[in-house]
Amino acid sequence: MSRLSQLLQAGEFVVTAEVNPPKGVDLSDTLARAEVMRGLVDAVNITDHQGSHMSVSPLALAPAIRERGMEPILQVTCRDRNRIAIQGDLLAAHVLGVENVLCLTGDPVGAGDHPEAKTVFDLDSIRLLQAADSLAKGKDLGNNPLRGAPSFYLGAAVNPFASELADEIIRMEEKIEAGAQFFQTQAVFDLEQMAEFMARVRAFGAPIIAGIILLKSGDMARFMNEHLPGVHVPDNLIAEMDAAEDKAEAGVQIAARIIREARDISNGVHVMAIGWERLIPRVLELSGAPARERAQ
């Protein structure tokens, strides 16, 4: 059983963050950014070709994260592989010691650095969850028995700010039925709306980790408002970033405030620093995130 699952099942407030694998085979910079988080976060997401940008496989980075005393959360998307390859990668993840798997649809290829690539989407995120759950029960999607079954703690994404929230909640329930045991959300900036969402889904019983994006500028916030569905940075936060002489410090202060408020309504936070991982220690210090002897 993964440490993340133990903490969430015990009702602890968890802190996770993420790193992006590099475009190339030199892992030194990525591992240095991850090292900043060691002892501060309970698990580290390893993204799967985030934004449809080609990088080294997250499977290559997971063992290196584990060797440094941090627990990985492997992101797996449906965009690039058919069900044969996905199931093979899930089995490989278990062999490499990965227990936490976040099942995602994946960004469209048009947003990435290989827009001419062919998408696969043989499975959607719900069917991906079913595939992982089936493997854990000893059979593949073709109902063929496995020689040794993996063990996974399965996560999925949910958007508390979806325009069609009722449909999003129905889909969340379907993901739970398919095997999802915890959720990570889209970036949270509106805590009131987040609280309303949590009240509607609390009966499902699945822990929900709130996404926290570290803002770098007002322009970044405006870009997210225009291009990321379900993300809305309020005008007052954009104005705060525009007015700040020290953009990094302003972003840290905003993220810390959001985490302080999120502690009362969510089961944890997932910090997306997007290259500013060095600031995560200060964000967590200012946020008052519960001190705990975290994985070392």
Side-chain angles (χ1 to χ4, degrees), residues 100-117:
N100 308 304
V101 176
L102 187 67
C103 298
L104 304 169
T105 299
D107 299 314
V109 297
D113 57 1
H114 287 66
E116 72 282 3

Side-chain angles (χ1 to χ4, degrees), residues 128-200:
L128 172 55
L129 285 162
Q130 291 171 338
D133 186 60
S134 179
L135 292 175
K137 292 173 180 175
K139 291 190 175 182
D140 66 14
L141 281 179
N143 205 36
N144 303 299
L146 304 181
R147 185 178 300 170
S151 175
F152 296 126
Y153 187 52
L154 298 176
V158 67
N159 185 359
F161 314 105
S163 57
E164 300 295 336
L165 189 56
D167 291 341
E168 183 73 4
I169 291 174
I170 290 171
R171 189 163 175 82
M172 178 183 176
E173 193 167 15
E174 290 173 345
K175 289 179 179 180
I176 293 172
E177 292 172 356
Q181 296 160 283
F182 74 98
F183 287 84
Q184 289 184 354
T185 79
Q186 182 60 276
V188 173
F189 293 100
D190 186 334
L191 275 299
E192 183 176 339
Q193 191 172 347
M194 178 67 180
E196 293 173 359
F197 169 78
M198 291 294 295
R200 294 180 63 174

